[in-house]
């Protein structure tokens, strides 16, 4: 078995004297793990940073084997974010979430596109937290748990949608949800429209919304908590006054 694909590095760990096991999010083949010979070398080590975009060539004797891969740089890498700890925390959280819930070896072009969009946005301090929330919503969508924000679940209204049901993931209008507001999740306007502006509290509401469904629908089903990197991101955004 042999193929080439575009990929983003999600994680890597040392293996043997000078090798590494890398997890990659590929464009056409989904999440893939492979052995990287020389993973500890000066040439290969920089490619094993989460978020690095590579061209990967995979090889295995059979489709059931772990297999190996060779990597070549193919564009963006996170080196220009090293002076921005908050953006790096966002990248680490995204990579950990993707590695934690995406099934192995199943094509996930939507998840790849969401990760690609976030990678580009991380260089723009004013917008990337909102794009991060959209990334998590995209992961939910790719795995069949997308939020339905098109109309009110109770009345069918398409205007004044301000909450989301924590049980169904469907939007609820202000009027219909008022009696149950303490049980509903807040819906930030930027998730309804690309032109929706950001108001204080919107990023926190967005992270609470996507975090609830990531936990309820994906991580809990795998008997895992939300990743520590994701919790750390929320803590760092809180400390920076970005929520």
């Amino acid at each position: 078995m042999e193929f080439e694909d575009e990929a983003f590095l999600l994680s890597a760990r040392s293996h043997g004297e000078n090798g590494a096991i890398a997890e990659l999010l590929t464009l056409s083949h989904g999440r893939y793990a492979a052995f990287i010979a020389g993973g500890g070398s000066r040439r290969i080590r920089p490619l094993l940073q989460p978020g690095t975009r590579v061209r990967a060539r995979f090889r295995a004797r059979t489709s059931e084997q772990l297999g190996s891969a060779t990597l070549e740089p193919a564009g963006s890498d996170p080196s220009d974010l090293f002076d921005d700890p908050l953006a790096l925390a966002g990248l680490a959280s995204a990579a950990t979430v993707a590695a934690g819930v995406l099934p192995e070896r199943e094509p996930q072009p939507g998840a790849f596109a969401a990760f690609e969009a976030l990678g580009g946005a991380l260089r723009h301090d004013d917008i990337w937290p909102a794009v991060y929330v959209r990334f998590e919503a995209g992961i939910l969508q790719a795995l069949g748990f997308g939020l339905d924000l098109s109309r009110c679940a109770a009345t069918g209204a398409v205007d004044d949608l301000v909450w989301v049901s924590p049980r169904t993931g469907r939007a609820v209008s202000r009027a219909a949800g008022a009696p149950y507001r303490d049980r509903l999740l807040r819906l930030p306007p930027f998730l309804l429209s690309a032109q929706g502006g950001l108001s204080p509290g919107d990023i926190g509401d967005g992270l609470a919304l996507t975090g609830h469904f990531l936990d309820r629908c994906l991580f809990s089903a795998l008997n895992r908590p939300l990743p520590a990197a994701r919790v750390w991101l929320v803590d760092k955004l809180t400390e920076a006054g970005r929520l």
Side-chain angles (χ1 to χ4, degrees):
M1 186 190 71
E2 183 174 345
F3 66 89
E4 291 188 26
D5 206 348
E6 297 291 322
F8 286 103
L9 204 293
L10 296 179
S11 69
R13 66 182 188 275
S14 298
H15 185 80
E17 290 187 7
N18 197 35
I21 302 293
E23 276 199 297
L24 301 108
L25 176 56
T26 69
L27 174 60
S28 302
H29 298 81
R31 181 170 66 89
Y32 240 87
F35 173 75
I36 311 297
S41 68
R42 287 186 179 181
R43 187 180 75 86
I44 301 298
R45 195 184 304 125
L47 300 179
L48 299 183
Q49 302 301 315
T52 301
R53 186 164 188 159
V54 296
R55 183 76 182 174
R57 174 177 288 179
F58 295 86
R59 273 187 191 172
R61 290 185 178 179
T62 68
S63 59
E64 290 78 23
Q65 283 187 321
L66 171 66
S68 62
T70 58
L71 308 178
E72 296 293 338
S76 62
D77 68 68
S79 59
D80 58 339
L81 298 177
F82 288 169
D83 292 329
D84 189 345
L86 201 54
L88 280 177
L91 180 59
S93 179
T96 306
V97 167
V101 298
L102 293 177
E104 277 197 286
R105 303 188 179 192
E106 291 185 16
Q108 298 288 343
F112 184 94
F115 197 94
E116 183 177 40
L118 176 62
L122 286 168
R123 280 78 183 168
H124 305 282
D125 186 63
D126 55 335
I127 65 168
W128 77 256
V131 179
Y132 179 89
V133 175
R134 288 183 175 273
F135 160 78
E136 290 193 338
I139 291 289
L140 288 164
Q141 180 72 38
L143 296 180
F145 299 100
L147 304 175
D148 181 358
L149 308 180
S150 59
R151 62 187 67 250
C152 175
T155 66
V158 297
D159 297 322
D160 206 20
L161 304 176
V162 297
W163 287 297
V164 172
S165 165
R167 184 176 64 84
T168 65
R170 299 181 65 189
V172 180
S173 69
R174 189 185 308 274
Y180 317 101
R181 60 187 304 161
D182 293 340
R183 304 180 206 169
L184 301 174
L185 297 164
R186 288 177 58 89
L187 172 58
F190 74 85
L191 284 178
L192 294 172
S193 169
Q195 280 70 48
L198 286 175
S199 298
D202 282 355
I203 298 301
D205 291 340
L207 288 169
L209 177 61
T210 55
H212 170 81
F213 288 102
L214 283 172
D215 184 27
R216 180 175 182 267
C217 300
L218 297 175
F219 284 100
S220 288
L222 298 169
N223 294 314
R224 301 175 192 164
L226 283 175
R230 209 277 186 178
V231 176
W232 173 257
L233 172 63
V234 174
D235 289 344
K236 299 308 289 182
L237 286 169
T238 301
E239 291 173 8
R242 301 292 299 275
L243 299 186

